[in-house]
Amino acid sequence: MESLISTMVGRDDVQGELSAFMTAAGGQALILRGETGVGKSALLDHVAGLAAPENHRVIRAAGVEAEVELPFAGLHQLLYSLLPHSAGLDEGHRAVFDVVFGLHEGKAPSVMSLGIAVLDLLSLAASEKPLLLLLDDGQWMDASSAEVCGFVGRRLTGSSVKMLIAVRSDVGSRFDTAALPELLVAALSEEAAGQLLDMRHPQLDAQTRRFVLEHAMGNPLALLELPAYLNSGHTGRTTEELLGFGNIPLSRRLQHVYGIRIERLAGPVREELLRGALDGVGAVPGGNRAPGARYRMREADEAVAAGLLDTDPATGDLVFRHPLIRTTVVQLATPNQRRAAHAELARVHRDDVERRARHLAASIVDPDEEVAAALEAAADSATRRGGAVASVAWLTRAAELSETPADRSRRLGDAAFIAGHAALLDQAQKLARSDLLPGASRSPVTVVASAYVALYEDGDVRSAHRQVAAAIESLRKDGAHEPAEALTRLVNVLLAISQYAGDAALWDRTEQLMDSLGDRVDTRSAIYRDAWSDVVRRGAGVHERVERAFAGVSELEPWDVSRLAVAAYHVDTLSQYRPYLQRAVDREVETGAVATAMTMLHLIMLDQLAAGEWDDAERTGQRALELTTSHGNALFTHHTRAYLGLLAAMRGQVERARELQAVLDAWARPRGVGFLTQIADAIGTAAALSEGDYEAAYLYAIGLTPPGSFQRCAHQASRTLLDLVEAAVHTGRLEQARRHAQAASDAGLPGVSPRLALITYGALAMTAADEKEAEDMYARAEAHPAGAGFPFELARIRLAHGVRLRHTQGPKAARPVLVRAAESFERLGAKGWGERAQAELRASGAPARVSLSYSTALTWQERRIAELAASGLTNKEIGERMRLSPRTVSSHLYRVFPKLGITSRAALRDALGKTGTGGDA
């Protein structure tokens, strides 16, 4: 588009806003929103002109419709000229760019990880000269890049970087929900439109002038282009005949105008423009910053003379003057012309897996196995980079081009499977049904897709279990021709259904089927079965098996990562895998496996809840609730409410907890979703304990499992061990409490998970008749390394210990232990428990209110690091837990030592003990 800077009229307000944007102190981002042709590109040029006096370095990029499905293509274009600065980044951030830009293989980073790396790169570049990032046609930016740009734009405050993004108001984009400030560029007023038209086309007769103003509707591009079309030799025809578009949208009218010019070009020039358009050549100067990334048009002087192309002054490349020209070039080409152009572009991009495959797929009509295989490889690449949605599209096209029914079926099955994990359940079902011949029995793909819908949308665990079990039985008998992957997918879906059912009879049927399959059961599926079904009876050794499986995490698909993490949750070792989940979840939420991301958010929330990071857990839960609700996933929506209810109960927000419990129970119990009804009962137990209603807590707890045993296939039976024992003790049911604590020990629960070890020792201590035995068990519990990772459970054990000490050894012996419990509850925000601990302290002769004894000395982060270090964790392990580098952890400890009056790590536990918090986390 011809620059409007020299003739810009009617934009005083917008120009004033942009001037203020440029002169404002510090960095910031702004979205410039307006319809096609309204002058956004000209305003970007205007801002670029303002940047010179401010000594800014200007970086320009433009979204390209042809690249909208190529993950991170837009980000590569935007950052290309800055990548030399990456040499100054740390190795981790350099590796992030190498992965997303395809230089090295590896697990795709999350939006947060990549965004932080981009922020560091921009900060490094801006240290030499302030940066101005101008992004045109943001609506065509690929989703992955747009998410990162939004993340970065929200965090530019205090930097020397400004970002201005132009987007069309008539085309949806990821920037619509980026939460960045916006400046609307409206159509020109009638007066300003007339002024611009008269300045640029002063010789128009009154009739034509009036007609142009009427049809341009204040759009600057139309005001500039329509008169040129009317004056280009169309003699003998009225203005109405020339502009006989009726009520066609403005962009279509302008496409018609450009079409006249394009049709007059020589054939070879049109072919050259078509290749450029299909490969997404930029539509404004500055749009092609990555050399070799797109086709370079040549020998197109005729198109330049016709006003269709410009020369990018920075690169010398030919670019389209407006996106509509690029669109019109494609629309005017015949199908055969487009296919020939795509074939040529595939040869040009022979070394780019995804781009080559996309052009190959568009270059042919008939089945072609070579092209289908190329698309399949591109889909694998997209999935690894967080582009599950693009992967589904490419696998579907690969299936269409497959030469054999077996290959077609396999690729449709892969597409349907990934669509299910991307929360595209309707599309998954359609893909599955498209592979079903009339009169044929249901394929494994169809069964998996139907099970997804039955489980996620309706919570129909029994119907889903019957369908999948029958399909597995059929494959076991006569399914030797089916690929092993089809069986594994069925088995894993059956395991997920069985877990949600939480029913021993259904689990028996599942285990019988898996036993009958013998060595055809995938090793990871066996881990899921043992962890998800009954951790009391099958959990021994699961932690080590999960750890071995995670050793190859770079080769795992996102759904395998989440399933293994669920297994880790059941054996309470989730914290060491949280970094994997946090890196993956942002990426998968936007363009990847959305349903898998929902599970990842649940897992992150559970680990935050266990670690005492309750505010973070609340935020994660609310994010999960918004995501599950927006996708209509009823099962995961209620699953999220379950964890929010449990958190509310622990915090003492009893009314909210019971409201969530009621909603959860009303939905899950009629459907037989035992996993959720168990959590509903756990919420009731926790809420009752929080307000000191031990009788109600006991009744809820024995609804989960009878005293002295652990209900089969009830995941909350072992998790509520401490709840049942404590409620039984406080209601005088000492025999039941002792039997239950001893049953935990006899079942070997301390060997299953660190948390179960902690609460088993606590339960044995609470129920010991002999004082020495009780003290030994309390000491064992309070010294257990798991205490740092489960501060709520540890604080409860300390409270019980303090109460017992007050009665057996006197107030003086009880006070230090009670102080530690009270401080932990205060930090956690466990209101009911905190009040009870304070009451016990008052009974032991302590002041009316005991606050954190060294909160003014140590920050929360310093205190947390000190406590983790005191528990025996290394700097690397602490860094993984708190998402800090080992060097940062070391720096914090360096500051902690003098505050505590110590000089070594070995003295931490004693120093923290003197302050009243020893080893809490």
Side-chain angles (χ1 to χ4, degrees):
M1 173 181 172
E2 184 174 347
S3 175
L4 298 178
I5 295 177
S6 60
T7 57
M8 195 175 294
V9 296
R11 296 297 185 209
D12 293 345
D13 291 346
V14 176
Q15 288 175 285
E17 293 276 2
L18 293 174
S19 295
F21 169 77
M22 285 302 301
T23 56
Q28 57 181 303
L30 179 66
I31 291 178
L32 205 59
R33 187 180 297 278
E35 66 176 4
T36 303
V38 80
K40 300 183 297 295
S41 299
L43 288 166
L44 291 183
D45 290 341
H46 170 71
V47 174
L50 295 176
E54 300 295 328
N55 197 33
H56 279 71
R57 178 182 178 184
V58 180
I59 307 293
R60 301 194 69 156
V64 180
E65 190 171 4
E67 294 187 352
V68 75
E69 292 183 353
L70 292 178
F72 304 113
L75 188 65
H76 183 252
Q77 181 195 154
L78 183 64
L79 298 182
Y80 183 82
S81 64
L82 299 178
L83 290 180
H85 289 281
S86 64
L89 300 176
D90 61 45
E91 184 178 349
H93 285 166
R94 288 199 305 274
V96 165
F97 289 122
D98 288 344
V99 170
V100 298
F101 295 150
L103 299 178
H104 296 296
E105 291 188 358
K107 199 69 178 178
S110 67
V111 170
M112 179 174 288
S113 298
L114 179 54
I116 291 172
V118 172
L119 283 168
D120 283 356
L121 178 64
L122 294 177
S123 177
L124 197 60
S127 65
E128 299 176 357
K129 180 184 287 191
L131 291 180
L132 172 63
L133 306 179
L134 299 178
L135 175 59
D136 206 353
D137 278 324
Q139 73 280 351
W140 300 133
M141 177 76 81
D142 62 276
S144 302
S145 298
E147 289 300 323
V148 174
C149 287
F151 178 93
V152 170
R154 293 188 292 272
R155 289 162 177 81
L156 292 178
T157 303
S159 71
S160 300
V161 182
K162 296 184 187 295
M163 179 187 293
L164 185 60
I165 305 165
V167 298
R168 292 189 193 175
S169 57
D170 54 343
V171 178
S173 76
R174 295 282 178 175
F175 290 110
D176 294 347
T177 55
L180 295 176
E182 295 193 0
L183 178 59
L184 180 64
V185 184
L188 294 175
S189 66
E190 184 176 351
E191 179 182 357
Q195 184 182 352
L196 176 62
L197 184 61
D198 292 341
M199 288 173 61
R200 298 304 300 270
H201 299 282
Q203 305 303 322
L204 291 180
D205 62 73
Q207 181 187 17
T208 303
R209 182 182 184 277
R210 184 174 60 253
F211 204 87
V212 169
L213 287 172
E214 179 184 343
H215 283 76
M217 296 183 295
N219 185 281
L221 181 61
L223 291 166
L224 295 177
E225 300 289 354
L226 291 178
Y229 168 66
L230 296 174
N231 293 331
S232 58
H234 300 284
T235 57
R237 299 175 64 188
T238 66
T239 304
E240 288 81 357
E241 289 172 332
L242 292 174
L243 292 174
F245 311 127
N247 291 319
I248 298 174
L250 176 61
S251 61
R252 296 285 297 277
R253 296 203 300 272
L254 296 182
Q255 286 174 17
H256 181 85
V257 171
Y258 291 134
I260 297 297
R261 304 186 202 175
I262 293 167
E263 287 173 344
R264 292 173 178 167
L265 298 175
V269 177
R270 289 183 62 179
E271 291 172 3
E272 190 73 1
L273 265 61
L274 179 60
R275 286 189 286 269
L278 291 175
D279 206 40
V281 166
V284 290
N288 290 341
R289 289 301 190 214
R294 301 190 191 90
Y295 185 76
R296 298 186 69 181
M297 296 183 290
R298 297 176 177 84
E299 299 181 3
D301 291 345
E302 185 182 355
V304 175
L308 299 171
L309 301 181
D310 270 340
T311 300
D312 187 332
T315 64
D317 291 343
L318 292 174
V319 294
F320 292 100
R321 290 183 61 242
H322 194 276
L324 288 175
I325 300 174
R326 188 172 56 200
T327 303
T328 307
V329 167
V330 176
Q331 290 182 348
L332 290 177
T334 67
N336 284 340
Q337 289 170 335
R338 289 196 290 269
R339 283 192 287 271
H342 278 298
E344 176 61 27
L345 290 168
R347 287 189 285 272
V348 171
H349 297 297
R350 55 186 172 274
D351 296 327
D352 186 323
V353 173
E354 295 183 26
R355 193 181 292 274
R356 173 178 178 269
R358 184 173 65 82
H359 286 303
L360 278 176
S363 70
I364 62 172
V365 176
D366 297 325
D368 186 305
E369 182 56 30
E370 180 184 353
V371 176
L375 274 170
E376 194 170 12
D380 289 341
S381 174
T383 301
R384 287 195 301 272
R385 299 208 297 151
V389 175
S391 180
V392 171
W394 286 344
L395 283 169
T396 304
R397 180 60 174 149
E400 294 171 356
L401 298 175
S402 299
E403 293 182 349
T404 67
D407 285 333
R408 178 181 184 277
S409 180
R410 175 175 57 80
R411 286 161 179 152
L412 281 174
D414 289 347
F417 178 75
I418 295 172
H421 282 281
L424 305 172
L425 296 182
D426 289 343
Q427 189 172 354
Q429 284 195 302
K430 289 176 182 176
L431 287 166
R433 286 195 294 265
S434 68
D435 188 38
L436 196 62
L437 297 174
S441 60
R442 301 177 75 198
S443 69
V445 174
T446 310
V447 173
V448 169
S450 298
Y452 280 146
V453 174
L455 181 63
Y456 293 149
E457 292 189 350
D458 305 322
D460 189 352
V461 290
R462 298 194 177 278
S463 172
H465 193 280
R466 283 194 300 271
Q467 292 179 47
V468 179
I472 293 174
E473 182 67 27
S474 176
L475 278 185
R476 185 183 69 82
K477 291 179 178 178
D478 51 21
H481 63 286
E482 289 286 351
E485 195 168 33
L487 178 61
T488 297
R489 287 173 180 172
L490 283 169
V491 168
N492 288 341
V493 170
L494 187 68
L495 288 167
I497 295 167
S498 301
Q499 178 180 226
Y500 272 108
D503 179 82
L506 288 186
W507 266 117
D508 287 343
R509 172 62 173 148
T510 298
E511 291 172 2
Q512 289 168 7
L513 277 173
M514 292 183 70
D515 290 342
S516 72
L517 293 172
D519 59 6
R520 296 172 69 185
V521 174
D522 182 79
T523 55
R524 287 197 293 268
S525 301
I527 295 174
Y528 309 151
R529 174 195 60 196
D530 294 343
W532 300 356
S533 62
D534 193 335
V535 76
V536 173
R537 295 162 181 84
R538 288 182 172 271
V542 165
H543 163 51
E544 292 79 8
R545 292 160 66 194
V546 170
E547 196 165 37
R548 286 194 295 272
F550 259 108
V553 68
S554 61
E555 303 300 320
L556 297 176
E557 302 290 0
W559 35 88
D560 291 321
V561 171
S562 69
R563 288 169 181 157
L564 285 170
V566 171
Y569 159 71
H570 282 291
V571 293
D572 301 303
T573 57
L574 185 56
S575 61
Q576 68 190 88
Y577 308 113
R578 197 207 296 184
Y580 296 120
L581 301 176
Q582 289 174 317
R583 284 197 295 268
V585 71
D586 290 335
R587 176 192 71 217
E588 302 301 340
V589 161
E590 300 306 331
T591 59
V594 178
T596 298
M598 296 174 189
T599 297
M600 290 179 175
L601 286 171
H602 288 162
L603 292 165
I604 292 169
M605 180 186 179
L606 284 170
D607 193 53
Q608 291 167 333
L609 194 152
E613 301 162 12
W614 288 1
D615 289 341
D616 290 340
E618 179 73 33
R619 285 189 288 270
T620 302
Q622 291 300 330
R623 181 185 179 191
L625 188 61
E626 292 171 7
L627 182 66
T628 56
T629 303
S630 67
H631 282 83
N633 191 316
L635 178 70
F636 283 172
T637 295
H638 286 87
H639 195 161
T640 307
R641 291 191 177 113
Y643 292 146
L644 287 169
L646 200 56
L647 174 57
M650 294 163 66
R651 282 184 142 168
Q653 299 168 349
V654 175
E655 185 175 346
R656 180 175 182 236
R658 287 184 174 144
E659 287 175 358
L660 289 166
Q661 178 192 10
V663 171
L664 177 63
D665 202 73
W667 185 86
R669 205 168 293 277
R671 292 170 169 80
V673 187
F675 188 90
L676 297 186
T677 60
Q678 290 173 44
I679 299 178
D681 288 342
I683 294 171
T685 306
L689 284 172
S690 183
E691 61 181 356
D693 187 348
Y694 296 108
E695 183 66 27
Y698 182 77
L699 294 176
Y700 272 119
I702 63 172
L704 288 165
T705 190
S709 66
F710 294 93
Q711 188 76 32
R712 286 183 60 236
C713 306
H715 80 289
Q716 285 292 326
S718 58
R719 303 199 74 81
T720 54
L721 161 64
L722 199 63
D723 299 342
L724 193 155
V725 168
E726 195 164 1
V729 168
H730 280 278
T731 56
R733 298 178 172 94
L734 296 180
E735 179 57 31
Q736 290 92 326
R738 290 191 183 106
R739 280 195 291 114
H740 203 56
Q742 191 58 50
S745 180
D746 293 343
L749 294 194
V752 172
S753 89
R755 179 181 178 275
L756 289 178
L758 176 68
I759 63 176
T760 298
Y761 300 145
L764 289 169
M766 290 179 189
T767 57
D770 180 76
E771 289 306 317
K772 183 179 184 305
E773 179 187 352
E775 281 303 310
D776 288 346
M777 281 299 169
Y778 274 123
R780 192 170 186 179
E782 293 179 51
H784 197 283
F790 303 97
F792 181 58
E793 289 83 351
L794 181 59
R796 288 173 58 181
I797 292 169
R798 282 185 170 147
L799 175 59
H801 187 198
V803 171
R804 186 162 187 156
L805 285 173
R806 185 168 66 83
H807 287 94
T808 59
Q809 298 183 29
K812 184 177 179 180
R815 272 197 296 271
V817 180
L818 290 172
V819 166
R820 295 174 191 174
E823 289 180 337
S824 293
F825 289 135
E826 186 174 338
R827 284 200 303 273
L828 289 166
K831 181 182 177 184
W833 291 95
E835 290 173 352
R836 199 168 312 140
Q838 291 288 344
E840 288 293 336
L841 275 168
R842 288 193 295 273
S844 70
R849 181 91 183 161
V850 177
S851 298
L852 294 180
S853 56
Y854 63 103
S855 59
T856 57
L858 300 183
T859 67
W860 163 253
Q861 191 172 53
E862 289 171 343
R863 183 168 61 249
R864 175 85 166 124
I865 289 172
E867 290 163 348
L868 292 174
S871 74
L873 296 184
T874 66
N875 287 1
K876 182 179 180 182
E877 290 168 335
I878 296 170
E880 290 174 350
R881 179 76 62 86
M882 298 192 67
R883 300 179 294 286
L884 300 171
S885 71
R887 181 179 296 177
T888 301
V889 173
S890 178
S891 297
H892 280 295
L893 287 173
Y894 182 79
R895 290 192 294 270
V896 165
F897 288 172
K899 289 184 178 182
L900 295 179
I902 61 176
T903 58
S904 71
R905 197 185 194 98
L908 272 172
R909 179 174 290 277
D910 289 342
L912 291 173
K914 291 176 182 177
T915 65
T917 60
D920 278 12

